[in-house]
Amino acid sequence: MNTSNTTVEYLKQEKFLVAVDCIIFGFDSENIKLLLFKRRVEPLKGALSLIGSFIKNDLNLNDSAKMVLEESTGLKNIFLKELRTYSDITRDPGNRVISVAHYALIRINELDIENVEEHDAHWYDFNDIPDLIIDHKQMVDDAINRLRDEARREPICFNLLPKEFTIPQLQAIYECFYQKKLDSRNFRKKIVSFDILNKTTRKDKTSSKKGAFLYVFNKRKFKTFIAKGNRFQL
Amino acid sequence: MNTSNTTVEYLKQEKFLVAVDCIIFGFDSENIKLLLFKRRVEPLKGALSLIGSFIKNDLNLNDSAKMVLEESTGLKNIFLKELRTYSDITRDPGNRVISVAHYALIRINELDIENVEEHDAHWYDFNDIPDLIIDHKQMVDDAINRLRDEARREPICFNLLPKEFTIPQLQAIYECFYQKKLDSRNFRKKIVSFDILNKTTRKDKTSSKKGAFLYVFNKRKFKTFIAKGNRFQL
DNA sequence: GCAAAAGTGTTATCGCTACACCCATGT
DNA sequence: ACATGGGTGTAGCGATAACACTTTTGC
């Protein structure tokens, strides 16, 4: 095995600018939202865009995206996944840039407001996204489709809710994704049958006089659920 | 909008080597196979690896992967999708290289044998993959998981079979993925009920005296199927 | 006491699973 | 004539979908 720092073969190759862009999703009890920014550098300064950054030599792509998220939202430990690359030669008018889009789910209530305002960031309803620079609109569309699909099969929506949440809150997210009302009896029956939530004794009273019991997602129970050969499917 | 060639901001940024690697799947009527290559350049020359290449300035990632596939298999119009990026700083001992893995499904019977032998390529059973260089084994594992998952929900397995194929051939692929025998009556019932195949009047007699009718995947029918709100699920 | 959301059970329907025999043909 | 894989139908079961009323409590 070759252990020198840079192999001769590699020196001949062209190098590229590489960036990460983040599609940040939130949920405000009404709708799925996306966090968009006013771009601060040329080209296209001032236009609406996703938040992103060129990567540096000391971080991999995932960590680069994490850093971007932390800087723009003040949040650590965000749910984050790679979406796909965008590499058309002329996609960026400034120069060729290969961008790796990532999508993130955050809890709006934990957001650092100051940070966000400092970055000229605003939430937009996910089914009413304005035009964005370059191919960012495409990235958003792709991310929404991916998320819609993934939400059906993986327990990821919990990342949009506070650690403790109610069943009706969870249902509301799925109703946004599917764009239709769900039967609350059937929804509750299904999610409870999975046995992946812990019911607390506390109630959330922000949306009704009666209050709804708070639940917590239990990762251990979920693993057991999967180990038994079950499939999360909503 | 800025229309100059390279923006000043961009000039300060670090650039990176970017490569594509291809996980090539085939099916030989018995098992899912993977095409692996003996590496020809340092570092790690002679070791087993996926086929790949540094990208050039004139092609996007998808087209770069297509070119790699064409050069190594002699095939055009291959089913090809991006898997994910691999970007750990130290993943390549030669230098930092960001690799974008792609997976491809090809029809083994159409393969250009000469081309393949020229490239020191050999087929390996997908559940008995030897050690590969760098993180290529990880790429393969990720690709297999992705494919297993995608095959359930998207009609992609047809890309592993000749244009005309039999129902038992198709079933065999799914039996490989699930690693269990399926009931032929139920399998046939399900796939026929989708109404996305055209039955021909011809038969394939390579695996039985009686012969099995040949079918063709019909993209138009599939679109209708989806438009009606159905879901492909096997 | 009333408005508003939370919570609860039952029935009909549909789709999936399990299962066994006849058919066509090459040797 | 026999061995081999191709092709077909049905019945039982489990899961989903449809549906309406009671409970709690802040105002």
Side-chain angles (χ1 to χ4, degrees):
Chain A
M1 186 202 277
N2 181 311
T3 52
S4 72
N5 258 348
T6 300
T7 307
V8 180
E9 272 294 321
Y10 289 20
L11 293 172
K12 302 180 208 158
Q13 303 298 333
E14 293 173 81
K15 292 188 160 192
F16 300 87
L17 291 169
V18 178
V20 290
D21 283 303
C22 296
I23 300 105
I24 306 176
F25 290 96
F27 178 68
D28 69 354
S29 335
E30 290 277 317
N31 259 309
I32 310 287
K33 300 281 188 177
L34 251 123
L35 196 57
L36 300 176
F37 297 75
K38 282 236 175 70
R39 182 166 158 116
R40 310 176 131 181
V41 297
E42 294 294 353
L44 306 168
K45 188 169 172 176
L48 268 183
S49 83
L50 297 170
I51 187 96
S53 162
F54 287 106
I55 70 165
K56 304 280 194 304
N57 207 7
D58 60 344
L59 290 181
N60 66 27
L61 288 164
N62 196 270
D63 290 338
S64 302
K66 267 187 202 156
M67 174 168 291
V68 167
L69 285 171
E70 194 175 328
E71 284 174 358
S72 58
T73 65
L75 296 176
K76 294 192 179 200
N77 297 323
I78 292 181
F79 173 91
L80 173 72
K81 281 200 178 178
E82 180 177 329
L83 177 62
R84 51 160 290 200
T85 61
Y86 293 81
S87 61
D88 276 358
I89 299 170
T90 58
R91 57 177 287 280
D92 191 309
N95 198 352
R96 182 172 189 185
V97 179
I98 292 169
S99 177
V100 185
H102 290 69
Y103 58 106
L105 305 186
I106 74 170
R107 313 180 200 277
I108 282 189
N109 66 313
E110 294 178 4
L111 197 68
D112 181 336
I113 305 290
E114 276 183 32
N115 235 327
V116 167
E117 289 182 348
E118 225 172 71
H119 279 79
D120 258 331
H122 295 280
W123 289 103
Y124 290 79
D125 196 297
F126 88 124
N127 42 36
D128 189 22
I129 299 294
D131 271 344
L132 307 175
I133 62 164
I134 322 181
D135 49 9
H136 286 199
K137 186 76 185 318
Q138 185 63 48
M139 291 182 183
V140 166
D141 288 345
D142 292 345
I144 289 171
N145 285 329
R146 171 76 66 88
L147 191 56
R148 229 194 275 275
D149 218 53
E150 201 175 349
R152 278 181 199 283
R153 304 191 310 275
E154 303 284 343
I156 58 172
C157 289
F158 305 111
N159 293 296
L160 291 168
L161 292 171
K163 300 256 155 61
E164 299 196 332
F165 56 88
T166 70
I167 307 274
Q169 278 169 359
L170 185 63
Q171 182 177 338
I173 295 182
Y174 283 96
E175 290 179 341
C176 284
F177 279 133
Y178 302 165
Q179 294 286 294
K180 70 172 180 187
K181 286 276 162 209
L182 299 177
D183 182 287
S184 67
R185 286 163 290 195
N186 292 337
F187 182 84
R188 180 183 296 268
K189 210 182 307 170
K190 184 78 158 273
I191 193 80
V192 167
S193 78
F194 291 162
D195 190 27
I196 58 176
L197 302 182
N198 289 342
K199 186 176 184 174
T200 71
T201 53
R202 302 200 305 114
K203 283 189 165 189
D204 171 293
K205 296 207 168 188
T206 55
S207 69
S208 77
K209 323 278 171 92
K210 182 179 178 181
F213 279 106
L214 288 161
Y215 289 77
V216 180
F217 176 66
N218 185 317
K219 209 165 180 174
R220 217 197 62 250
K221 281 185 167 180
F222 176 68
K223 280 187 183 158
T224 308
F225 172 77
I226 294 300
K228 283 181 186 164
N230 297 304
R231 246 164 207 284
F232 183 93
Q233 188 87 17
L234 277 178
Chain B
M1 186 202 273
N2 181 311
T3 53
S4 71
N5 259 347
T6 301
T7 307
V8 181
E9 271 293 321
Y10 289 20
L11 293 172
K12 303 177 206 160
Q13 303 297 333
E14 293 173 81
K15 293 188 160 193
F16 300 87
L17 291 169
V18 178
V20 290
D21 284 303
C22 296
I23 300 105
I24 305 177
F25 290 95
F27 178 68
D28 69 354
S29 342
E30 290 275 318
N31 259 309
I32 310 286
K33 301 280 189 178
L34 251 123
L35 196 58
L36 300 176
F37 297 76
K38 281 237 175 72
R39 182 166 158 115
R40 308 174 134 183
V41 297
E42 292 295 351
L44 305 167
K45 188 170 172 174
L48 267 184
S49 82
L50 298 170
I51 187 97
S53 163
F54 287 105
I55 69 165
K56 305 278 195 305
N57 207 8
D58 60 345
L59 290 181
N60 67 24
L61 287 164
N62 195 270
D63 290 339
S64 302
K66 265 187 203 157
M67 174 169 290
V68 167
L69 285 171
E70 193 174 329
E71 284 175 356
S72 59
T73 65
L75 296 177
K76 292 192 182 200
N77 297 323
I78 292 181
F79 172 91
L80 172 71
K81 280 200 180 178
E82 179 177 329
L83 177 61
R84 49 159 290 200
T85 60
Y86 293 81
S87 61
D88 277 357
I89 300 170
T90 57
R91 57 176 287 280
D92 192 310
N95 198 352
R96 183 173 188 186
V97 179
I98 293 169
S99 177
V100 184
H102 289 69
Y103 58 106
L105 305 186
I106 74 171
R107 313 180 200 277
I108 283 189
N109 66 313
E110 295 178 2
L111 197 67
D112 180 337
I113 304 289
E114 277 184 30
N115 235 327
V116 167
E117 288 183 349
E118 228 172 67
H119 279 80
D120 258 333
H122 295 280
W123 289 103
Y124 291 80
D125 196 296
F126 88 125
N127 42 35
D128 190 21
I129 300 294
D131 272 343
L132 307 176
I133 62 163
I134 322 180
D135 47 10
H136 286 198
K137 186 75 185 316
Q138 186 61 48
M139 292 182 182
V140 166
D141 288 344
D142 292 345
I144 289 171
N145 285 329
R146 171 76 66 90
L147 192 55
R148 229 194 276 275
D149 219 52
E150 200 175 350
R152 277 182 199 283
R153 302 191 310 275
E154 304 283 344
I156 59 172
C157 289
F158 306 111
N159 293 295
L160 291 167
L161 292 170
K163 300 253 153 63
E164 299 196 330
F165 56 88
T166 69
I167 306 273
Q169 278 169 0
L170 185 63
Q171 181 176 340
I173 294 183
Y174 283 95
E175 290 178 341
C176 284
F177 279 133
Y178 302 166
Q179 295 287 296
K180 70 172 180 186
K181 285 276 163 209
L182 300 177
D183 182 287
S184 68
R185 284 163 293 193
N186 294 335
F187 182 84
R188 178 183 298 268
K189 210 184 309 170
K190 184 79 157 271
I191 193 79
V192 168
S193 78
F194 291 162
D195 190 26
I196 58 176
L197 302 182
N198 288 342
K199 186 176 185 173
T200 71
T201 53
R202 303 199 306 113
K203 282 189 165 190
D204 172 292
K205 296 206 168 187
T206 55
S207 69
S208 77
K209 324 277 169 89
K210 182 179 177 181
F213 279 107
L214 288 161
Y215 290 77
V216 181
F217 176 66
N218 185 317
K219 211 166 180 171
R220 215 196 64 250
K221 281 186 169 182
F222 176 67
K223 280 186 184 158
T224 308
F225 173 76
I226 293 300
K228 283 182 187 163
N230 296 304
R231 247 163 206 284
F232 183 93
Q233 187 87 18
L234 277 176

